[in-house]
Amino acid sequence: MANRSLKGIQAVFAVIAAAFLPSQTSAAEVPEAWAWKHRLIVVFAPHVEDTDLIAQRSEFARYQKGFEERHLILLEVVSEAVNTSIGPDLNVSGPDLRDYARKTGKHFEIMLFGKDTGIKLRSVKPVSANEVFALIDQMPMRRDEMRRQEN
């Protein structure tokens, strides 16, 4: 009987500790780094010599201003390392981004996340900056941003 009540007390303390002690960032917490502030493009690649990664990097490098206007951050996840190519640095890890995106495998893939953290585009081939910008510019939140910029 005493053993059972000791286990009950330990369980209560474990719940209290979990509620108040800081924990490591998890995949579920990844969106907090950009939600409602930025849109995010994540380019996943197996290695730095990946031809699709090189092509995608080259395509986006010419459009810094377009990225800034759309509050768009470009992250590259190569193997497990994260590199911010355009925009402010986010404190997220490669494995957490892979988990959040439900990204399996080690092949090239590009994903666009909206400010609402939802996936808006997913492609296994490089995409043009104009295609990404056109998609973003059709989004209601972006249209509202453009209206506010005009006034």
Side-chain angles (χ1 to χ4, degrees), residues 4 6 20 28 51 62 72 111 117 128 131 142-143:
R4 193 181 322 181
L6 179 60
F20 292 102
T51 56
R62 301 175 293 157
L72 190 56
M111 299 176 78
T117 72
S128 74
E131 180 182 347
R142 173 65 180 148
R143 288 178 181 244

Side-chain angles (χ1 to χ4, degrees), residues 16-105:
I16 292 170
F20 292 102
L21 294 176
S23 62
Q24 291 182 321
T25 301
S26 69
E29 297 168 323
V30 165
E32 293 176 12
W34 83 84
W36 306 112
K37 298 175 277 192
H38 304 283
R39 292 173 185 92
L40 190 66
I41 290 184
V42 183
V43 179
F44 296 97
H47 49 81
V48 294
E49 296 89 17
D50 184 86
T51 56
D52 288 333
L53 172 65
I54 293 167
Q56 191 66 77
R57 187 183 288 154
S58 175
E59 168 65 16
F60 286 157
R62 301 175 293 157
Y63 293 95
Q64 177 83 31
K65 185 173 167 75
F67 272 74
E68 290 171 4
E69 289 172 359
R70 290 166 182 83
H71 309 143
L72 190 56
I73 297 173
L74 174 60
L75 298 178
E76 295 175 359
V77 179
V78 179
S79 187
E80 300 304 321
V82 177
N83 176 44
T84 304
S85 296
I86 299 175
D89 194 25
L90 299 177
N91 187 24
V92 295
S93 74
D96 285 344
L97 275 170
R98 284 184 186 283
D99 287 349
Y100 179 73
R102 292 187 171 100
K103 169 76 173 100
T104 59

